[in-house]
Amino acid sequence: GDKVKQSPSALSLQEGTNSALRCNFSIAATTVQWFLQNPRGSLINLFYLVPGTKENGRLKSTFNSKESYSTLHIRDAQLEDSGTYFCAAEAASGGNYKPTFGKGTSLVVHP
Amino acid sequence: NAGVIQTPRHKVTGKGQEATLWCEPISGHSAVFWYRQTIVQGLEFLTYFRNQAPIDDSGMPKERFSAQMPNQSHSTLKIQSTQPQDSAVYLCASSPGTGGHTQYFGPGTRLLVL
């Protein structure tokens, strides 16, 4: 099965509302990254996390390594938040830090 | 800082031809990653280098695909005898290191094999 599972796979939000995206891991993740792929296809890094929480503007992300999940909270969603959100987990193995990506959450924010 | 540079941005090849994709990482970054993205498979890891040395190529199809990093300023992904199923967006990313650093992605090369 998928080592990194993202949910939901798709989400539609009204402008100004809040929501949360989730990643569950079946690997012993040590770090997590969150990216946004915008409609032009560019992948933009949002967060790099060790266990704990980070916040940046309307976005907040938490990584709980003991329970093997990470969340990305979006507050006051704006039209420009639309795109596909990916999480990627690193599980160090003998110096190999290959990240494993989830399949993404496709977000559409509408007026 | 120009970010990660990938060339060409678009490439169309005929079945059986060779395709070479180029990546210039951010200056000073020691790790370079290659991924392939399709609608069906999503983002797939192909290979990565650290300080120009290949570390993990477990995602590379064993035949026809090869990657090199001859110097710290560029990496190439070569596909021999391209097939229609190789059509995808090929993404390169670099990071200041591994195990503690975020990745910065290039714009990708969209490869179409006819």
Side-chain angles (χ1 to χ4, degrees), chain A residues 31 33 35 37 41-43 45 47-48 86 90 95-99 101-103, chain B residues 33 35 37 41 43 45 48 50 55-56 58 91 98-105:
Chain A
T31 63
Q33 300 181 68
F35 297 89
Q37 189 165 38
S42 299
L43 270 158
N45 62 75
F47 292 104
Y48 186 97
F86 291 97
E90 279 183 343
N96 184 344
Y97 295 92
K98 177 183 70 181
F101 280 77
K103 294 198 183 301
Chain B
F33 300 79
Y35 298 89
Q37 186 174 30
Q41 298 294 335
L43 257 171
F45 168 83
Y48 87 93
R50 187 167 63 227
I55 301 300
D56 186 329
S58 59
L91 292 159
T98 54
H101 302 277
T102 195
Q103 295 182 25
Y104 297 86
F105 279 81

Side-chain angles (χ1 to χ4, degrees), chain B residues 78-107:
Chain B
K78 185 180 291 186
I79 309 172
Q80 295 177 310
S81 185
T82 54
Q83 303 296 310
Q85 62 264 31
D86 298 332
S87 297
V89 176
Y90 289 83
L91 292 159
C92 175
S94 72
S95 75
T98 54
H101 302 277
T102 195
Q103 295 182 25
Y104 297 86
F105 279 81

Side-chain angles (χ1 to χ4, degrees), chain B residues 19-92:
Chain B
T20 300
L21 313 180
W22 293 71
C23 172
E24 182 179 329
I26 293 171
S27 178
H29 282 193
S30 61
V32 172
F33 300 79
W34 283 97
Y35 298 89
R36 175 169 65 181
Q37 186 174 30
T38 60
I39 299 290
V40 174
Q41 298 294 335
L43 257 171
E44 298 176 281
F45 168 83
L46 294 176
T47 186
Y48 87 93
F49 298 84
R50 187 167 63 227
N51 295 320
Q52 298 174 233
I55 301 300
D56 186 329
D57 67 353
S58 59
M60 293 276 274
K62 293 309 175 192
E63 299 175 356
R64 304 188 297 107
F65 282 63
S66 61
Q68 295 180 341
M69 192 162 185
N71 57 60
Q72 62 187 8
S73 64
H74 89 272
S75 175
T76 58
L77 179 68
K78 185 180 291 186
I79 309 172
Q80 295 177 310
S81 185
T82 54
Q83 303 296 310
Q85 62 264 31
D86 298 332
S87 297
V89 176
Y90 289 83
L91 292 159
C92 175

Side-chain angles (χ1 to χ4, degrees), chain A residues 70-94:
Chain A
S70 178
T71 55
L72 177 68
H73 293 263
I74 303 172
R75 176 173 53 83
D76 185 24
Q78 300 296 305
L79 299 178
E80 60 265 28
D81 295 333
S82 297
T84 303
Y85 290 79
F86 291 97
C87 66
E90 279 183 343
S93 172

